[in-house]
């Protein structure tokens, strides 16, 4: 009888420890919400700093709000880029079952560079300046999404679908486009190359508020599509065999996710330019801070981290070191170092 009671007590205690939820324990949940609230406060402070700090007009006057309104365009661009990079990278790493590779591997940035390099090559520096309009933005977004759709439907919807082959072909195409860009750049005059160089680095200064009526609805569409599919992404993260055994249509959900990732990456890249390691940096930090497998919690955490990284970097470099032009370079440098650290620690890609 005593043994039976002991066994029941042990089972009851074990049952308490085997409760399944988004977090491993109540402590992990409290840690998550504590970090999330801290990020929200930091995001609000950095945003206010970018809008109000060093504003030459008196607070509350019409001139103050006009300057703040102009600065708001950059803050909106940071929010759009942070959300796009965060959601796209986390979802992409989930379907590829690899936390090191990012959507940049598919050649989005190489295609961006080819478009702008070709514009300067055929129409000169003035052609690049004249092409900074809504039509050119839409053209870039459509071209990038179309390029991705062709790649996905060709390699993932056939009988012999192979995700790894898609990634390898994406790398090869990206390298090929990069070589084409380099060849055309060597044919440019020094003045034309200087104008092009400003577009080769990601910067919120490349964004234009005229793009937002197109960019923001696309971002909302992509974010909602991924977030509402969070539970299936949780299953996809277990791998192809496990997902199929659990009744998830692996092929459909993979293609669906990659299409939404393409939309988000196309908008981000066309809006501000290449951000190679931002997504990786944000996703890596989100996995560490969130301490959960549930994408319903990873997505918001990663987006907030991305926004805090961008707004914090621009605020510090612009108002403390007065070196706004090197913000993206520093972010990419930090992201690259984190990438190397993760690769060396794991010992594999």
């Amino acid at each position: 009888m005593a043994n039976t009671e002991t066994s029941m007590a042990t089972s009851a205690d074990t049952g308490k420890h085997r409760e399944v939820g988004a977090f491993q324990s109540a402590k992990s949940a409290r840690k998550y919400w504590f970090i999330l609230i801290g990020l929200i406060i930091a995001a609000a402070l950095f945003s206010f700093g970018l809008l109000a700090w060093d504003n030459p007009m008196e607070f509350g006057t019409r001139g103050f709000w006009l300057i703040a309104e102009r600065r708001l365009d950059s803050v909106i661009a940071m929010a759009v880029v942070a959300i796009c990079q965060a959601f796209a990278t986390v979802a992409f790493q989930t379907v590829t079952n690899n936390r090191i590779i990012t959507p940049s591997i598919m050649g989005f940035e190489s295609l961006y560079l080819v478009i702008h390099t070709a514009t300067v090559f055929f129409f000169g520096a003035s052609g690049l300046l004249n092409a900074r309009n809504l039509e050119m933005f839409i053209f870039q977004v459509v071209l990038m999404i179309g390029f991705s759709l062709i790649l996905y439907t060709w390699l993932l919807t056939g009988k012999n679908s192979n995700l790894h082959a898609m990634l390898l072909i994406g790398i090869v195409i990206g390298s090929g486009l990069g070589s084409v860009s380099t060849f055309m750049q060597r044919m440019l005059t020094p003045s034309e190359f200087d104008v092009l160089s400003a577009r080769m680095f990601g910067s919120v200064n490349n964004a234009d508020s005229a793009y937002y009526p197109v960019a923001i609805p696309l971002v909302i569409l992509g974010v909602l599509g991924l977030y509402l599919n969070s539970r299936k992404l949780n299953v996809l993260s277990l791998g192809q065999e496990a997902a199929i055994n659990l009744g998830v249509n692996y092929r459909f959900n993979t293609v669906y996710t990659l299409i939404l990732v393409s939309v988000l990456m196309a908008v981000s890249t066309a809006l501000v330019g290449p951000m190679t390691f931002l997504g990786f940096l944000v996703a890596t930090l989100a996995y560490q801070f969130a301490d959960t497998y549930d994408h319903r919690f990873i997505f918001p955490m990663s987006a907030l981290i991305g926004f805090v990284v961008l707004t914090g970097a621009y605020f510090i470099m612009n108002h403390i070191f007065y070196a706004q032009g090197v913000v993206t370079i520093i972010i990419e440098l930090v992201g690259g170092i984190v990438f190397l650290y993760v690769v060396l620690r794991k010992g594999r890609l």
Side-chain angles (χ1 to χ4, degrees):
M1 186 69 176
N3 291 336
T4 304
E5 291 177 354
T6 303
S7 177
M8 292 176 64
T10 304
S11 300
D13 292 338
T14 304
K16 290 180 181 178
H17 293 291
R18 290 184 178 179
E19 291 179 359
V20 178
F23 298 97
Q24 296 180 358
S25 64
K27 182 179 178 180
S28 296
R30 287 194 300 269
K31 174 187 172 184
Y32 174 87
W33 291 111
F34 179 78
I35 294 175
L36 194 72
I37 292 172
L39 289 171
I40 292 173
I41 294 173
L45 290 176
F46 282 131
S47 298
F48 180 78
L50 288 172
L51 296 176
W53 189 275
D54 204 22
N55 192 319
M57 305 301 292
E58 186 178 351
F59 180 79
T61 61
R62 176 177 172 79
F64 176 90
W65 292 116
L66 287 175
I67 294 174
E69 185 179 354
R70 295 194 64 179
R71 293 180 176 183
L72 182 62
D73 290 340
S74 296
V75 176
I76 293 174
M78 294 177 200
V80 170
V81 172
I83 292 171
C84 288
Q85 292 283 341
F87 274 73
T89 303
V90 170
F92 187 80
Q93 290 180 347
T94 295
V95 297
T96 57
N97 201 22
N98 190 313
R99 290 190 178 181
I100 291 181
I101 59 178
T102 66
S104 300
I105 200 174
M106 299 308 299
F108 289 99
E109 295 170 358
S110 297
L111 188 58
Y112 172 89
L113 294 178
V114 164
I115 293 172
H116 287 275
T117 303
T119 301
V120 177
F121 183 80
F122 291 108
F123 303 105
S126 59
L128 183 62
L129 297 176
N130 294 331
R132 188 176 180 179
N133 50 47
L134 181 60
E135 290 75 14
M136 185 64 174
F137 173 78
I138 295 174
F139 170 74
Q140 291 180 74
V141 171
V142 171
L143 190 62
M144 291 178 190
I145 295 175
F147 167 76
S148 302
L149 289 178
I150 292 173
L151 195 61
Y152 299 156
T153 54
W154 174 36
L155 294 172
L156 295 180
T157 58
K159 293 182 179 180
N160 298 319
S161 61
N162 191 325
L163 187 62
H164 295 94
M166 182 198 72
L167 297 176
L168 291 174
I169 291 177
I171 294 174
V172 172
I173 293 176
S175 299
L177 293 176
S179 299
V180 173
S181 298
T182 302
F183 173 77
M184 288 190 289
Q185 289 167 16
R186 291 182 179 276
M187 305 292 289
L188 301 178
T189 63
S191 59
E192 291 174 336
F193 184 78
D194 287 341
V195 174
L196 177 63
S197 297
R199 295 291 185 88
M200 292 172 65
F201 295 98
S203 174
V204 295
N205 295 326
N206 293 334
D208 193 319
S209 58
Y211 305 159
Y212 296 156
V214 175
I216 292 177
L218 287 175
V219 172
I220 293 174
L221 176 67
V223 166
L224 284 178
L226 290 176
Y227 189 82
L228 294 176
N229 206 40
S230 293
R231 295 184 183 276
K232 291 183 179 178
L233 286 173
N234 294 340
V235 180
L236 291 179
S237 66
L238 300 175
Q240 181 176 356
E241 293 183 2
I244 293 174
N245 290 335
L246 290 172
V248 172
N249 189 329
Y250 179 81
R251 183 178 298 179
F252 170 80
N253 281 281
T254 297
V255 175
Y256 171 78
T257 301
L258 290 174
I259 290 173
L260 295 180
V261 167
S262 301
V263 172
L264 294 177
M265 287 301 298
V267 171
S268 174
T269 306
L271 186 65
V272 301
M275 290 279 188
T276 306
F277 288 109
L278 176 63
F280 174 81
L281 176 64
V282 167
T284 301
L285 293 176
Y287 290 130
Q288 296 297 319
F289 292 161
D291 194 22
T292 178
Y293 69 91
D294 198 329
H295 288 74
R296 294 175 299 169
F297 298 96
I298 297 176
F299 280 140
M301 177 70 77
S302 61
L304 271 172
I305 291 174
F307 185 68
V308 169
V309 167
L310 284 176
T311 54
Y314 270 93
F315 177 79
I316 293 171
M317 298 308 298
N318 193 27
H319 296 295
I320 296 179
F321 296 104
Y322 302 99
Q324 180 178 344
V326 300
V327 171
T328 304
I329 297 175
I330 292 176
I331 292 176
E332 296 296 278
L333 176 63
V334 173
I337 293 173
V338 174
F339 177 82
L340 291 176
Y341 170 76
V342 172
V343 172
L344 292 175
R345 188 183 66 176
K346 289 189 174 185
R348 61 183 178 83
L349 288 175

